[in-house]
Amino acid sequence: VRSAIEIAAAINAGASAAEELERSMAAVAARNGELNVFLHVDADGARRRAAAVDEKVSRGEYAGALAGVPIALKDNLCTEGVPTTCSSKILEGWRPPYSATVVDRLVAAGAVPVGKTNLDEFAMGSSTENSAFGPTRNPLDPARVPGGSSGGSAAAVAAGMTPVALGSDTGGSIRQPAALCGLVGVKPTYGLVSRYGLVAFASSLDQIGPFANSVSDAALVLEVIAGHDPRDTTSLPEAAPSLLAHVDDGVAGKRVALVRELLDGSDDDVTASVLRAADVLREAGAEVVERSIPELKLGLSAYYLIAPAEASSNLARYDGVRYGLRVDGDDVTAMNEATRTAGFGTEVKRRIMLGTYALSAGYYDAYYGQALKVRAQMIAAFARAYAEVDFLLGATTPSVAFAFGTKTKDPMAMYLNDVFTIPTNLSGEAAITVPFGTGEAGLPVGVQLLGPGRSEARLLAAARVLERAEDRS
Amino acid sequence: VSLPNGFEMVVGLEVHTELRTATKLFCGCANRFGAEPNTLVCPVCLGLPGSLPVLNERAVELAMAIGLALHSTIAPSTFHRKNYFYPDMPKDYQISQYDLPINSGGYLDLPDGSRVSIERAHLEEDTGKSTHLGGTGRIHGADRSLIDYNRSGVPLVEIVSGPDMRSADQARGYAAELRGILIATGASDGRMEEGSMRIDANVSVRLAEAPFGTRCEIKNLNSLRSLHRAIDYEAARQVALITSGGTVRQETRHWDEMLAETSTMRVKEEAEDYRYFREPDLVELAPSDQWRDRVAESLGPMPAARRLVLRGLLSGPTGPQIESIDVVVMLDLDAYVLAVHELGGDVTIALARASNEVAASHDRREHLTTSAFAETVLMEQRGELSATQAKKVLGELLTNGGDPAAIARTKGFEQLSDDSLSATVEQFITQHPDEWQRYRDGDEKLAQFFIGLVMKATSGQANGKTVIAELQSRR
């Protein structure tokens, strides 16, 4: 499989973007029926854009850092004129009149969006089993889940349909499926990437980030989509950082903390991979220490109050009045209820109810208010850790990809899948997962590196050290 | 109107004013009244999935201007979401300010000498506008509903007073004075008939010095007259209820202008739980001291100070003149009167014309320059125009603008030559010897008789004062 960097270089040198796109679409056609990766393939739009890239190159112009690179977009990113469903019946058939900032930036850099990928409905889930349009299968073992909620985007890259993809990460929704599909996945610092056009799940936690087969490809895509956006008040004020140029900076002289709470409860294979990663970093010149950050244990509980609370408000607009599904009722209230009853799936309803309750008069202080305090404690705990070390090391998920149906009956078992990824969303900081070693049934294990805000370049460089060690082994 | 049986009313007002910004509070759509429905909309003010709000800097300045005019404290503030379902609210939450408003505290001094405290004046977005057709005409029970989202996202400031007012007169005085301040700061056009200023009134009654009674909130009063009538009605209703052994229930009430009564909209038990929480899509709003100072420096004098200036132009203003000054200041027409004064003109005439003719068409005032107004008043003062003619010239100036002398010529308002006027007066004296004799004997009322005849004969072009001078010279 060629990397995005190689593809863009070849196309800028005169290779055909149209042919590259046809190869990608052939790969989609070959396995999409089996894996259910793409909800919508925008063949016409993609061909038009590939042709535009080819024309630009033929005129002797530079066609961009992602010239002709096919890319898959999670279906909660708005794409002008192209269906955007969030894998929900309530948005079925809706075509946004505008594109997300990240989509505009990708296209401006020459990328060719192939289509929209499956997800857990409104990004709520960890297996893509909560999609209203059927689950996505893990290309490495179709009897297992690809993870979630960005399972479709992870599967698109893992199945070789596109070299890179975008997902969104609210509690681990990029890192967990990347780990389960053997990919690099980045949860950027909150505000590094504009959220404009990302259909909100939990606004204070959501971030868009890349999936890639390599650290360098992830760095390239992140560089293209990052940087201040005047349409997103919460986006960081500065332009995109230089990332690709620093991936080979190594870890010499860096201090790394292996964090007990980011390993607790992991399968033995997973733990072994993380310990081996610590050795590799040490050999590469990093100082590795062991630390405990007890506050991380509180993350899951706080997250499952804050995220549903915000979601209960963000998802109120799906009321049947303006767009998407409408189920008639005797009056407007009955219409709202019938629409939402028919349009939302079980997990979405569960979280709307949970969040509504957590914000209700008389319960706010005990639930939402308390969760905000925990969040503040977690931010302080991370800050203390980062005063001492450059980054933290742990597992991305407690186990490798699991089989369908094993956790759908027990929401708590499913939620526990995100126990290592959630703290970074609560703190608004950065984290990356990189495939390192294998576990049960030879499936990939993801190792997670966590850093403070704006530490993406450092994290990518550290991940690259692990990646090179894997390539040699 | 005082209440019976020793009761007094307690009134607090919540005034919503739309801000006169070029664009909406969180997007670049035009903030304009009267456009075709749903033409001033975008993904943000339609609340489309994925859209995000970006705060309008000018709206913040106008909110600060209001706060400065009301002696409020401007502090770092935050935005919250107020969650409830309503079809004309596209996100099904309203972005508003909650525990940390941009302006808190303050007061407003009324012309009657009383002071009303201000609790807060915060920023929020307006909703769209629903029209319910057929059936009951209300949202539940209408045949169908139409929604215009042009108003969705229009910036509002909500100004909450303390429960300090004790009569409908005082409440109306507060609303009128506040309206003058909103116009003076440039924050609002104060047009209640277009809904750019809307008032909710909290009314309760109590026996003097007793603790506050249970209050009822009357929603959406859209004229000063409705406000006054609704408060008087509601206070009387509550007194009647209590004196007949009943108790007031805390509720939201609707004022029906036709029936001249309030009726229950919803009782407190049905009140929504708005589940306020910090708006995660916006950051803290912390205007710098420098920014606040710039806004303060840009503020002109407020109505109270301006009234004093105008009164100072007269030696002992009469009641009608004070009323004229109130109108002139409320509609921000001071510049016209001041222009006349600067040219040494008659302020009394200027006040009369400004508070009547200009006030009646003040929405077209951009056609009328202060110099054209002053020239018209001076022409009237010099007798070159009669009062009737001066009013017609102002009417033309307010419609199309132009030069007063040229308009007077075009309309044939040429000054009657003294000779021709003299001849006309002489003619009527001859025709009415009895009346003339009575006038000569000292019956001054007869002057009006002759003026009337001359005016009729000259189609109102004669100057009344000149006619009197002619009469007196022959006495």
Side-chain angles (χ1 to χ4, degrees):
Chain A
V1 180
R2 286 188 308 156
S3 71
I5 292 172
E6 288 164 347
I7 291 169
I11 287 172
N12 271 316
S16 165
E19 284 174 22
E20 187 63 40
L21 173 63
E22 294 309 322
R23 271 194 291 279
S24 168
M25 291 205 295
V28 174
R31 291 195 78 185
N32 201 46
E34 172 203 1
L35 301 175
N36 194 29
V37 171
F38 282 88
L39 298 176
H40 180 87
V41 174
D42 180 26
D44 291 346
R47 287 191 173 114
R48 215 166 40 240
R49 289 201 170 110
V53 167
D54 283 336
E55 201 191 306
K56 207 166 182 180
V57 172
S58 71
R59 285 199 305 265
E61 293 171 34
Y62 175 64
L66 290 172
V69 174
I71 188 164
L73 302 174
K74 189 177 183 179
D75 202 25
N76 59 356
L77 294 168
C78 286
T79 41
E80 185 179 348
V82 175
T84 300
T85 67
C86 297
S87 289
S88 181
K89 294 250 182 248
I90 213 156
L91 272 177
E92 201 170 2
W94 181 61
R95 290 170 188 260
Y98 75 106
S99 287
T101 296
V102 290
V103 175
D104 286 343
R105 287 183 178 176
L106 287 172
V107 169
V112 177
V114 172
K116 310 298 289 291
T117 60
N118 201 12
L119 62 148
D120 287 295
E121 185 177 1
F122 283 104
M124 297 177 189
S126 309
S127 67
T128 321
E129 289 168 291
N130 293 335
S131 169
F133 308 117
T136 294
R137 295 179 177 278
N138 191 322
L140 307 178
D141 178 353
R144 297 176 188 246
V145 304
S149 66
S150 313
S153 282
V157 178
M161 295 171 169
T162 59
V164 285
L166 289 191
S168 65
D169 192 315
T170 306
S173 282
I174 291 173
R175 288 161 289 162
Q176 186 256 13
L180 270 46
C181 290
L183 304 173
V184 175
V186 184
K187 199 299 272 188
T189 303
Y190 187 79
L192 184 71
V193 179
S194 167
R195 292 183 294 118
Y196 190 76
L198 166 65
V199 180
F201 159 19
S203 312
S204 76
L205 302 162
D206 297 339
Q207 267 294 290
I208 300 166
F211 288 94
N213 285 303
S214 68
V215 171
S216 296
D217 273 5
L220 172 62
V221 172
L222 185 53
E223 218 172 81
V224 166
I225 62 174
H228 180 69
D229 177 9
R231 290 180 182 276
D232 178 359
T233 303
T234 65
S235 73
L236 297 175
E238 67 264 21
S242 171
L243 299 173
L244 189 54
H246 294 284
V247 291
D248 286 315
D249 283 1
V251 292
K254 300 286 187 235
R255 283 173 63 85
V256 185
L258 178 61
V259 180
R260 184 181 311 146
E261 288 76 16
L262 296 176
L263 273 177
D264 278 357
S266 295
D267 289 355
D268 290 347
D269 294 337
V270 172
T271 303
S273 284
V274 174
L275 295 177
R276 193 163 61 81
D279 291 341
V280 168
L281 292 173
R282 197 179 287 118
E283 284 159 22
E287 183 191 345
V288 180
V289 296
E290 288 187 28
R291 285 290 178 273
S292 169
I293 307 177
E295 289 86 351
L296 300 188
K297 290 274 188 196
L298 302 171
L300 195 71
S301 312
Y303 175 86
Y304 276 98
L305 290 166
I306 292 169
E310 293 183 19
S312 72
S313 175
N314 283 329
L315 272 61
R317 69 191 66 191
Y318 308 107
D319 57 10
V321 173
R322 289 160 298 275
Y323 46 79
L325 182 71
R326 174 184 291 181
V327 179
D328 282 332
D330 286 342
D331 64 10
V332 66
T333 308
M335 183 277 285
N336 291 156
E337 282 180 16
T339 299
R340 291 166 68 81
T341 300
F344 288 136
T346 304
E347 183 62 25
V348 171
K349 286 175 187 161
R350 180 170 15 244
R351 297 201 195 185
I352 289 173
M353 287 189 282
L354 199 60
T356 302
Y357 186 78
L359 288 173
S360 296
Y363 300 98
Y364 179 101
D365 290 341
Y367 295 108
Y368 185 72
Q370 194 69 12
L372 292 182
K373 286 179 195 157
V374 169
R375 186 176 191 175
Q377 281 183 11
M378 181 154 308
I379 290 168
F382 271 119
R384 282 193 298 275
Y386 293 131
E388 193 197 345
V389 300
D390 295 295
F391 35 79
L392 311 179
L393 174 67
T396 306
T397 62
S399 67
V400 298
F402 46 91
F404 285 101
T406 50
K407 298 180 198 291
T408 44
K409 293 281 181 291
D410 179 0
M412 272 310 292
M414 188 71 89
Y415 296 171
L416 279 166
N417 235 268
D418 296 330
V419 67
F420 302 149
T421 47
I422 277 171
T424 305
N425 298 85
L426 288 171
S427 70
E429 294 171 314
I432 185 170
T433 180
V434 58
F436 195 79
T438 53
E440 180 210 340
L443 288 163
V445 168
V447 164
Q448 190 181 198
L449 293 155
L450 300 76
R454 298 178 166 94
S455 65
E456 281 79 3
R458 249 186 287 162
L459 292 177
L460 287 158
R464 176 83 181 116
V465 168
L466 297 180
E467 180 180 66
R468 289 174 64 152
E470 279 295 84
D471 287 349
R472 280 194 303 273
S473 66
Chain B
V1 189
S2 65
L3 296 172
N5 303 326
F7 278 95
E8 76 168 359
M9 68 171 83
V10 175
V11 180
L13 298 185
E14 294 171 19
V15 174
H16 288 84
T17 183
E18 288 183 348
L19 298 179
R20 286 179 65 190
T21 52
T23 56
K24 294 184 180 181
L25 187 54
F26 296 120
C27 65
C29 289
N31 169 15
R32 185 154 52 82
F33 180 81
E36 278 287 298
N38 297 312
T39 54
L40 308 177
V41 292
C42 74
V44 176
C45 59
L46 284 176
L48 293 188
S51 65
L52 295 171
V54 177
L55 183 59
N56 181 335
E57 185 177 339
R58 182 64 188 149
V60 175
E61 287 179 353
L62 292 177
M64 284 196 282
I66 292 171
L68 289 164
L70 295 175
H71 314 280
S72 300
T73 304
I74 296 172
S77 62
T78 57
F79 288 90
H80 272 63
R81 291 185 185 178
K82 180 179 182 180
N83 295 285
Y84 63 101
F85 284 89
Y86 205 82
D88 61 23
M89 192 166 60
K91 301 183 295 295
D92 287 302
Y93 59 80
Q94 179 192 29
I95 303 177
S96 181
Q97 295 195 295
Y98 185 54
D99 51 351
L100 297 172
I102 181 164
N103 302 302
S104 45
Y107 60 88
L108 176 58
D109 287 331
L110 307 192
D112 69 6
S114 64
R115 172 170 289 189
V116 176
S117 67
I118 302 293
E119 291 185 352
R120 57 191 280 149
H122 69 254
L123 272 165
E124 60 185 28
E125 58 178 340
D126 209 344
T127 62
K129 196 165 168 35
S130 301
T131 308
H132 306 295
L133 301 175
T136 62
R138 307 277 279 267
I139 184 167
H140 292 281
D143 292 338
R144 60 203 176 100
S145 297
L146 304 174
I147 309 176
D148 176 8
Y149 290 104
N150 284 351
R151 200 180 68 181
S152 168
V154 162
L156 294 176
V157 165
E158 179 178 341
I159 302 148
V160 182
S161 83
D164 295 353
M165 289 161 272
R166 296 292 177 267
S167 70
D169 282 349
Q170 195 188 8
R172 183 176 56 189
Y174 166 84
E177 188 67 6
L178 183 56
R179 182 163 173 261
I181 280 184
L182 295 174
I183 295 170
T185 52
S188 167
D189 58 21
R191 289 182 192 164
M192 297 189 73
E193 67 282 3
E194 288 180 6
S196 59
M197 179 173 158
R198 309 190 286 271
I199 306 177
D200 302 337
N202 284 294
V203 179
S204 64
V205 298
R206 64 171 177 179
L207 288 167
E209 303 308 313
F212 288 158
T214 304
R215 68 190 158 89
C216 291
E217 183 181 18
I218 314 166
K219 298 295 269 188
N220 268 326
L221 298 164
N222 52 20
S223 73
L224 296 180
R225 182 179 132 89
S226 297
L227 172 73
H228 193 271
R229 295 175 78 202
I231 289 172
D232 266 342
Y233 174 89
E234 178 61 19
R237 183 189 74 85
Q238 292 181 15
V239 170
L241 191 61
I242 293 167
T243 50
S244 68
T247 50
V248 176
R249 194 169 50 158
Q250 187 172 343
E251 58 188 20
T252 304
R253 297 180 69 84
H254 166 77
W255 167 251
D256 189 315
E257 188 70 43
M258 299 290 287
L259 297 175
E261 62 183 33
T262 62
S263 58
T264 303
M265 275 171 77
R266 57 178 180 268
V267 297
K268 197 198 174 197
E269 292 72 48
E270 299 164 11
E272 299 255 11
D273 176 358
Y274 293 120
R275 306 191 311 282
Y276 278 99
F277 73 104
R278 256 299 283 279
E279 164 57 285
D281 290 331
L282 291 168
V283 297
E284 185 189 55
L285 169 60
S288 67
D289 291 350
Q290 293 88 329
W291 191 17
R292 190 195 58 205
D293 292 346
R294 275 204 307 279
V295 173
E297 282 160 22
S298 71
L299 282 183
M302 289 300 118
R306 286 159 41 202
R307 277 193 297 266
L308 287 179
V309 167
L310 292 182
R311 286 179 197 177
L313 302 180
L314 300 163
S315 51
T318 62
Q321 284 171 338
I322 287 175
E323 277 178 33
S324 294
I325 288 171
D326 288 352
V327 171
V328 164
V329 168
M330 188 170 75
L331 298 175
D332 198 14
L333 305 172
D334 319 27
Y336 293 115
V337 179
L338 293 171
V340 171
H341 175 71
E342 274 167 32
L343 294 174
D346 186 334
V347 173
T348 305
I349 299 178
L351 274 176
R353 295 289 161 266
S355 64
N356 290 301
E357 284 70 35
V358 183
S361 307
H362 74 275
D363 51 337
R364 288 188 272 122
R365 62 203 279 182
E366 65 270 21
H367 298 297
L368 178 65
T369 63
T370 53
S371 59
F373 176 83
E375 194 183 335
T376 309
V377 169
L378 288 170
M379 286 169 74
E380 179 182 353
Q381 195 181 330
R382 288 194 299 261
E384 294 164 23
L385 291 173
S386 67
T388 311
Q389 290 171 336
K391 291 174 189 177
K392 285 181 179 160
V393 169
L394 283 176
E396 175 63 21
L397 286 168
L398 282 161
T399 309
N400 296 313
D403 171 49
I407 292 169
R409 270 196 303 281
T410 311
K411 289 192 176 293
F413 295 165
E414 295 291 352
Q415 181 191 10
L416 290 172
S417 74
D418 287 350
D419 286 353
S420 123
L421 187 66
S422 180
T424 310
V425 171
E426 191 64 44
Q427 176 199 335
F428 285 121
I429 289 174
T430 314
Q431 285 173 8
H432 301 280
D434 292 351
E435 286 80 0
W436 175 242
Q437 189 55 49
R438 279 161 59 196
Y439 176 69
R440 290 185 75 176
D441 292 347
D443 189 347
E444 298 296 332
K445 287 200 296 294
L446 269 302
Q448 284 307 316
F449 169 76
F450 285 105
I451 291 170
L453 291 173
V454 174
M455 286 295 174
K456 201 169 175 186
T458 60
S459 307
Q461 295 190 38
N463 184 302
K465 283 181 189 161
T466 316
V467 175
I468 289 177
E470 288 285 340
L471 290 170
Q472 281 175 343
S473 70
R474 286 171 175 76
R475 217 166 184 172

